[in-house]
Structures are given as C-alpha cells and as structure tokens.
Amino acid sequence: MSVEQSLIAFSLAAMVLAATPGIDTALVLRMSISAGARRGLAAAFGIAAGCLLWGAVVATGLGALLAASGTVFTVVKFLGAAYLVWQGVLLLRSRGVRADAPAVAAGGETVGSAFAKGFLTNALNPKVGIFYLTLLPQFVPAGVEMASFSFLLASIHVAMSLLWFVLLVALTRRSVRFLQKPAVVAALDRLTGVVFLGFGLKLAVSQPA
C-alpha cells in the first residue's frame, strides 16, 4: 500500500469513526444545546486535544508501554472511569436550564470548563490510546517513519472528528428554540448522564486489548 492509498483509506475510515455515536458526540451535543454553540465547540476542541495527546503517546512508543503495563493501565483506567461516573451523576442531578439563562443558573459553564471536560473525557481514557495503538499501524505503509506517520494519521482522525462536531453544533443551532426548552435540556442531560455512567462503568471493567 502506497502512502497515498494509506491516507485515502484511513481518511475514509476516520470519517466513519468520527460519525459513530459515542460519548464524545453526546458531550458536544449536550454542551451545544444546554450551554451554547461556543461551549459546544470548546468541548469539541477539548476532545481533539485529548485525542492528539494519545496520538503523541502512541507515536512515541509510550502507548505500547501502557498496553504492556497492567499497573499503569489500571491507574489511568480507574481515574477515567471515576471522572466519567462523576460527570454522569452531575448530569443526572441537573435541572435542565436554557442556554440563554444566566451563567450561574446554567451551572457556571464557561468555554474553559467545556474545553476541560472534552479534554479530560479522552485524556483519562486509556482505551483511546489502545485504540490508536491497534488501529494506526494497520495504515502505516512500508518504508515510512512509523512515529511521524502514526501521528499524522491520528491528526487526520482528529480533523475528521472536528468537522463532524462542527456539523453537529450547526445542526443544533437550526433547532435551537425547541432544543433549549427546559424539558428538552433536562431530558438531554439525563440521557447524556446515562451515557457517561455507562461508559464509565464499561471503562472500569475493561482490560488492555
């Protein structure tokens, strides 16, 4: 497989992966609807930063060390699981406030905190690193430098994800009046809370691939 064929094949795969529903999609949708488009985009860029961090970890060879070290994997895993469960509980306890309500009533959500939530959701999830560790080498053609090309592939996946998140945020803005009704926001918070709890519990019992 040539470099061009590898990039095309991975880009197509990255498009599908980016659009696959998961915790990142749930977070961006929840932020965009309940806290506004800017915070939704901030969460998206936080997610991208977390994925790039794991891309760098895998590209430098630290990902293999993580997969081989049961202790390191377990520590990061339980930190990530605890964070996801905590966020899930907070969402389940939220009362559903419109995005145009006062900031304090909306939970004090800022652009910075939205970015941090997106970043921590991925940075504390070692399964993202394991995912890159198992997927990226399949698209590295013979004769190229493994580290730099792997990071390039991770960057392509991040770029595709960002495009998907921007599209999601734009779509939510078209239905903003309906989606920002307190009852809808509350329902979305409950649903997102369940997603976070589910992923947190799944992460807690996971093992290195």
Side-chain angles (χ1 to χ4, degrees):
M1 183 166 56
S2 68
V3 171
E4 292 78 11
Q5 290 172 330
S6 174
L7 291 175
I8 292 173
F10 183 79
S11 296
L12 293 174
M15 290 174 60
V16 175
L17 291 170
T20 301
I23 192 169
D24 292 340
T25 298
L27 178 61
V28 171
L29 282 175
R30 186 265 169 185
M31 278 294 176
S32 179
I33 293 170
S34 64
R38 288 183 59 197
R39 291 162 182 80
L41 291 174
F45 277 97
I47 291 167
C51 288
L52 281 178
L53 174 62
W54 281 115
V57 167
V58 170
T60 56
L62 294 176
L65 178 63
L66 171 69
S69 174
T71 301
V72 176
F73 180 87
T74 299
V75 170
V76 179
K77 176 185 75 172
F78 281 117
L79 284 174
Y83 175 76
L84 293 177
V85 170
W86 174 53
Q87 289 296 316
V89 171
L90 290 179
L91 287 167
L92 289 173
R93 294 178 59 189
S94 70
R95 293 174 294 179
V97 183
R98 288 169 55 99
D100 55 0
V104 174
E109 200 72 70
T110 65
V111 171
S113 66
F115 178 91
K117 287 181 179 179
F119 176 76
L120 290 175
T121 296
N122 283 271
L124 292 178
N125 185 356
K127 297 298 286 185
V128 177
I130 301 299
F131 169 75
Y132 278 159
L133 184 64
T134 56
L135 176 69
L136 300 185
Q138 301 180 44
F139 292 90
V140 178
V144 303
E145 206 276 316
M146 175 71 76
S148 58
F149 200 83
S150 294
F151 188 74
L152 172 62
L153 294 178
S155 300
I156 291 174
H157 174 246
V158 168
M160 293 296 182
S161 297
L162 279 175
L163 288 174
W164 170 246
F165 293 145
V166 169
L167 176 61
L168 286 180
V169 172
L171 290 174
T172 61
R173 306 322 295 165
R174 295 181 64 87
S175 306
V176 65
R177 289 187 179 181
F178 169 76
L179 293 174
Q180 286 185 342
K181 291 181 179 180
V184 176
V185 173
L188 179 64
D189 282 354
R190 304 295 185 274
L191 178 60
T192 308
V194 170
V195 171
F196 267 67
L197 280 173
F199 274 87
L201 295 175
K202 181 180 179 181
L203 177 60
V205 300
S206 66
Q207 300 294 327

